[in-house]
Amino acid sequence: MEAAQILAFLHRLEALKCNTRHSWTSSGRQESVAEHTCRLAIMALLLRDAFPQADMDRVLRMCLLHDWGEAVTGDIPAFEKSDRDEETEENAVLSLLAGLSPGLQEEYTNLFREIRAQETAEARIFRALDQLEAVIQHNEADLSTWLPLERELNLTYGQAECAGFPPTAQLRALCIHETEQKLANSSTQTRTQKFSC
């Protein structure tokens, strides 16, 4: 692949740094798609030895490419995303990949479709990690950034996906505990504020 093709592709993906997600950071700003992707890839790297039966290099590649379509479409929260949105995002990925060499187009198209199909262990591990990262980020954000439905959603989101693998099940259990503490602390603060008025 020529250097000009690589540079053009990188310029298009720069939007991942600019496009924000629904989640907020602990510092009080919205998280970018690129930041989510980065930590998700780090999670796969850290858990590499926890999945000896899986091709974790493949999972890592899934982590890095799964949201490329959002460079075009922007982020739509999972609880709002429709089948039509999924199709639009897939078309955006295919459009982006058209700028790459035929070999890379084929490799990344197949990987993206593997993610969507959820038929391999690697795709299911990726999905569990992706959902875990969103829950972790919500736990790190101020509760005032949560929508009311997220109080329940953060306790249930990705639970079934994470249950299929002991490492992700353990992390999910820890995240549930963090969410419960966050919600309990908020309730305590609200009661304290009520009585101090």
Side-chain angles (χ1 to χ4, degrees):
M1 196 160 100
E2 293 180 18
Q5 283 180 293
I6 294 171
L7 187 58
F9 187 74
L10 292 173
H11 283 322
R12 293 189 75 187
L13 286 191
E14 192 258 349
L16 297 175
K17 294 182 178 187
C18 303
N19 292 347
T20 56
R21 287 171 50 86
H22 170 70
S23 300
W24 292 72
T25 68
S26 60
S27 67
R29 65 171 175 76
Q30 278 188 279
E31 168 194 38
S32 74
V33 177
E35 289 168 318
H36 161 70
T37 299
C38 177
R39 185 158 66 173
L40 178 57
I42 292 168
M43 289 170 67
L45 197 60
L46 292 174
L47 291 169
R48 173 184 212 105
D49 294 339
F51 295 98
Q53 75 288 5
D55 181 348
M56 290 304 283
D57 286 338
R58 191 167 188 81
V59 173
L60 183 57
R61 289 194 303 273
M62 289 177 182
C63 293
L64 291 169
L65 75 81
H66 81 288
D67 276 342
W68 283 0
E70 293 183 11
V72 176
T73 65
D75 176 63
I76 300 171
F79 54 83
E80 291 179 1
K81 196 174 269 189
S82 68
D83 289 343
R84 186 173 186 160
D85 294 327
E86 294 280 1
E87 185 179 328
T88 300
E89 191 174 321
E90 182 168 352
N91 289 335
V93 168
L94 296 177
S95 171
L96 284 167
L97 294 179
L100 298 177
S101 67
L104 287 179
Q105 281 181 46
E106 182 180 1
E107 178 186 348
Y108 296 148
T109 298
N110 290 341
L111 207 52
F112 189 77
R113 290 190 171 143
E114 182 179 343
I115 290 170
R116 294 283 196 228
Q118 287 294 289
E119 293 173 353
T120 64
E122 287 78 10
R124 289 190 298 274
I125 291 167
F126 155 76
R127 176 77 68 216
L129 294 176
D130 185 36
Q131 293 177 340
L132 259 175
E133 202 287 325
V135 169
I136 291 167
Q137 189 60 58
H138 271 73
N139 280 342
E140 292 168 340
D142 191 273
L143 198 55
S144 67
T145 65
W146 292 24
L147 297 175
L149 67 85
E150 290 173 310
R151 290 172 176 259
E152 177 63 27
L153 189 60
N154 224 52
L155 292 168
T156 59
Y157 186 65
Q159 238 182 318
E161 291 79 2
C162 291
F165 307 100
T168 54
Q170 290 170 349
L171 283 169
R172 189 63 185 98
L174 289 172
C175 289
I176 289 171
H177 180 68
E178 283 186 350
T179 300
E180 289 170 341
Q181 283 186 314
K182 189 174 196 73
L183 294 172
N185 289 343
S186 171
S187 296
T188 302
Q189 288 173 357
T190 301
R191 281 197 303 274
T192 303
Q193 288 169 351
K194 243 187 216 179
F195 291 121
S196 64
C197 292

